[in-house]
Amino acid sequence: MTTKIATETVPYELVSGLEIHVQLNTKSKIFSSDSATFGAQPNENISAVSLALPGALPKLNKEVVAKAIRIGLALNCEINQYNFFDRKNYFYADLPKGYQITQDNSPICKNGYLTVTLANGDEKRIGINRIHLEEDAGKSLHDQDSKYSYVDLNRAGVPLIEIVTEPDIRTAEEASALLTEIRQLVRHLNVSDGNMEEGSLRCDANISIRKIGETAFGTRCEVKNLNSIRNVRRAMEFEFGRQIEVIENGGSIIQSTLNFDADKGTTSPMRTKEEANDYRYFPDPDLQPISISDEWLAEIKSAIPALPKEIAKQLIAEFGINTSEANMLAEDIDLYQYFNEAKTTVNNQKSLINWLLGAIRGLLNEQNIGIKEFSASPKQLATLINLVDDKKISQQNALQQLLPAISANTDVLAKANELNLLIVENADEISSYIEEVFAKYESQVQAYKNGKKGVLGLFVGEVMKLAKGKADAKKVNELIIERLK
Ligand code: ADP
Ligand code: MG
């Protein structure tokens, strides 16, 4: 815990397991061809299946299964090659069927784990109990009208997976490290956009406490629908304190479902916990069991790209960059793909890394865009970097003038030429600039000769100005020193 009381004065430890709902980024829904994309007008993405009209039958989207298997393998799970769907029965206005199609006793993946690295360098292995497939429900809108609630069924039938961890989490930091890594993995594997603000990744945190040294678990409470990693941490820290207080005051924890109030940072009861048998789970008779052949499983396995941790390791070995640099590149799949494409054109790959993690990252942050929206293609950027490395254009001109002038079909070299940015290899011209600067700064030249070497920078700067940046600063520097001897 980050709360000091946890380790110093209070003899309790936190125990937590997370249920992480991940919206898969398939084009269509799990049991129909309705679009599964975010941001449509209310009830635009619906058909007989989403509306649950009588007689409408579900048909499984194969891509959903493939994506669940991909993340399952990355989380070191066993894949249940024979699994099936159940009905979870409950009534709610945004659930027109009266049941949610989900997996109860036969999840598609089970018995996995993920090892996360904590701030102090320690590694922590967190078990994954299971991953099951399910459909999302619709959405009730209570704030659109003063008298009525509206129902939007766009989300009904959008594919979800639920990743359920073992109660192995002991601190809020471990929970946040786990979520950060899972978000990265689903993005990396093109399983989900992992966007917590848009609800593509949501988390319920089950939290209990026990006296340090005890082996039995305490009674848990489940905090529902946490929509940011920060709120997961806050909810855990609050619950830890609250439960300790209840126990210390002689009370006991009642198993319940809680809401988290993000403004106040507190939890409040939503309902007491329902039992699994309240839902009357039974296998859905409308759907065939899923049978995953060895061949298909092997095919999916072989198509899984290297994972961020492996990529980072390889980048460190190949380019001698440090861990945080390697992670920056390995953890952003779009940036890494851009790097791989640019790599084939650029002459100096280390230089490409420096550009991407330095100047280009800065630009992207400034414009608040990802590398995918960047105006220069990998090939164009590589060409520009080559021009700089070959001393055909100054770094500054490349960044400030050439880069902003690049768009989709720009020929980079032609553009540099057109903008008159190419360095003139004309020593006479540079010499005449040097003369000009010396004439202007006579007293400084004298000062230099008297030992005040610091004025050298001034001369170089002035010459570069006269050359409009189209000179190699290092060479100018050498020429000036030569001349002042
Ligand atoms: P349910 O479906 O009723 O929520 P699950 O068996 O699916 O129950 O478990 C839900 C989550 O609760 C799992 O992530 C599990 O690790 C966690 N969990 C179970 N027992 C405890 C406990 N005593 N304290 C904290 N978390 C727990
Ligand atoms: Mg639960």
Side-chain angles (χ1 to χ4, degrees):
M1 293 299 296
T2 50
T3 342
K4 273 196 234 84
I5 50 164
T7 48
E8 283 166 22
T9 58
V10 182
Y12 291 95
E13 72 174 349
L14 174 116
V15 172
S16 174
L18 302 181
E19 294 165 77
I20 305 161
H21 303 261
V22 182
Q23 181 176 322
L24 304 183
N25 60 355
T26 52
K27 287 201 188 76
S28 51
K29 293 185 181 178
I30 182 168
F31 300 121
S32 73
S33 59
D34 294 351
S35 167
T37 50
F38 181 83
Q41 290 299 307
N43 295 309
E44 201 179 314
N45 298 339
I46 58 170
S47 66
V49 176
S50 298
L51 284 168
L53 297 185
L57 288 173
K59 186 167 185 290
L60 179 61
N61 177 346
K62 191 176 177 186
E63 193 55 24
V64 166
V65 180
K67 288 190 190 258
I69 296 174
R70 277 163 81 82
I71 188 67
L73 291 172
L75 293 176
N76 306 295
C77 289
E78 294 163 29
I79 306 301
N80 266 334
Q81 287 180 250
Y82 178 86
N83 62 90
F84 56 85
F85 286 103
D86 297 285
R87 290 185 180 181
K88 179 180 182 179
N89 298 281
Y90 65 97
F91 173 78
Y92 208 72
D94 60 22
L95 188 75
K97 289 199 301 300
Y99 58 85
Q100 178 195 27
I101 304 178
T102 179
Q103 297 191 308
D104 182 29
N105 286 326
S106 78
I108 185 160
C109 313
K110 60 179 184 186
N111 297 337
Y113 65 87
L114 184 62
T115 305
V116 295
T117 307
L118 305 173
N120 65 2
D122 284 358
E123 301 220 309
K124 168 78 191 229
R125 178 172 157 144
I126 295 164
I128 305 291
N129 175 283
R130 65 179 183 272
I131 303 176
H132 65 252
L133 289 165
E134 62 186 30
E135 59 176 346
D136 206 348
K139 193 175 177 191
S140 299
L141 307 164
H142 304 296
D143 54 1
Q144 309 279 306
D145 189 276
S146 55
K147 277 201 204 132
Y148 301 101
S149 283
Y150 291 160
V151 173
D152 176 6
L153 292 176
N154 279 348
R155 240 171 51 187
V158 160
L160 301 177
I161 50 169
E162 183 174 330
I163 303 172
V164 182
T165 80
E166 296 294 349
D168 290 343
I169 295 164
R170 293 291 173 273
T171 65
E173 190 202 349
E174 289 174 14
S176 108
L178 178 84
L179 280 166
T180 304
E181 192 143 322
I182 286 186
R183 184 174 56 184
Q184 238 169 53
L185 278 175
V186 295
R187 286 182 177 161
H188 189 83
L189 296 171
N190 189 23
V191 160
S192 167
D193 64 29
N195 193 330
M196 289 190 93
E197 297 77 51
E198 289 176 5
S200 312
L201 205 136
R202 310 189 282 274
C203 175
D204 305 336
N206 295 271
I207 300 161
S208 66
I209 60 166
R210 65 178 173 190
K211 281 248 164 74
I212 287 169
E214 238 163 57
T215 49
F217 287 138
T219 305
R220 72 187 148 113
C221 291
E222 180 173 355
V223 187
K224 280 285 185 193
N225 283 325
L226 296 161
N227 63 357
S228 72
I229 293 177
R230 181 167 166 260
N231 283 346
V232 172
R233 292 184 79 121
R234 291 170 74 207
M236 281 189 165
E237 278 159 13
F238 178 83
E239 263 306 293
F240 186 58
R242 184 190 72 84
Q243 293 186 18
I244 289 174
E245 213 174 294
V246 171
I247 303 279
E248 288 286 294
N249 288 328
S252 54
I253 304 296
I254 301 161
Q255 188 169 347
S256 52
T257 305
L258 309 174
N259 269 323
F260 179 68
D261 182 329
D263 293 328
K264 295 197 204 123
T266 59
T267 60
S268 59
M270 190 157 114
R271 53 177 189 249
T272 53
K273 180 80 190 155
E274 52 297 281
E275 300 285 330
N277 58 17
D278 292 338
Y279 289 121
R280 296 293 187 273
Y281 280 101
F282 67 89
D284 191 313
D286 286 342
L287 284 157
Q288 297 265 358
I290 302 172
S291 170
I292 300 160
S293 69
D294 293 342
E295 292 74 28
W296 194 42
L297 185 56
E299 199 182 302
I300 294 171
K301 221 179 241 177
S302 69
I304 290 183
L307 300 181
K309 274 182 194 159
E310 298 157 23
I311 294 173
K313 233 185 239 166
Q314 178 246 319
L315 287 169
I316 292 169
E318 194 173 346
F319 299 108
I321 54 179
N322 66 38
T323 312
S324 86
E325 289 171 324
N327 284 342
M328 268 196 257
L329 201 52
E331 289 170 359
D332 181 340
I333 181 72
D334 296 335
L335 191 65
Y336 182 63
Q337 263 163 14
Y338 187 101
F339 166 74
N340 277 329
E341 277 175 54
K343 212 166 79 167
T344 58
T345 306
V346 85
N347 296 330
N348 181 343
Q349 299 186 353
K350 182 72 198 293
S351 169
L352 171 63
I353 293 181
N354 291 340
W355 272 83
L356 286 177
L357 299 184
I360 303 301
R361 252 177 83 92
L363 271 181
L364 298 177
N365 286 343
E366 228 169 74
Q367 297 170 34
N368 201 13
I369 55 171
I371 192 81
K372 272 185 164 169
E373 287 92 43
F374 187 48
S375 50
S377 70
K379 201 164 175 186
Q380 288 171 321
L381 182 70
T383 309
L384 175 144
I385 294 172
N386 287 344
L387 287 176
V388 176
D389 286 348
D390 294 346
K391 308 232 180 310
K392 295 209 173 101
I393 168 172
S394 72
Q395 168 118 2
Q396 196 180 8
N397 279 345
L399 196 57
Q400 293 178 354
Q401 308 216 37
L402 185 52
L403 199 53
I406 294 175
S407 58
N409 291 316
T410 310
D411 176 327
V412 176
L413 181 58
K415 189 52 119 186
N417 207 359
E418 181 193 322
L419 294 174
N420 209 8
L421 300 174
L422 292 176
I423 289 174
V424 259
E425 293 293 344
N426 187 342
D428 288 350
E429 201 172 321
I430 301 291
S431 295
S432 79
Y433 294 145
I434 293 175
E435 291 311 325
E436 208 177 319
V437 170
F438 283 177
K440 190 171 164 195
Y441 293 99
E442 249 173 74
S443 62
Q444 280 87 345
V445 170
Q446 207 45 55
Y448 180 92
K449 286 182 174 159
N450 291 337
K452 199 175 164 216
K453 303 289 181 212
V455 290
L456 184 62
L458 168 77
F459 303 146
V460 177
E462 288 296 307
V463 172
M464 290 301 288
K465 238 189 251 170
L466 288 173
K468 301 204 168 58
K470 294 187 297 172
D472 173 12
K474 211 169 138 216
K475 214 161 177 185
V476 169
N477 202 56
E478 285 164 13
L479 282 172
I480 292 177
I481 292 175
E482 186 61 31
R483 199 64 65 86
L484 288 170
K485 265 184 187 159

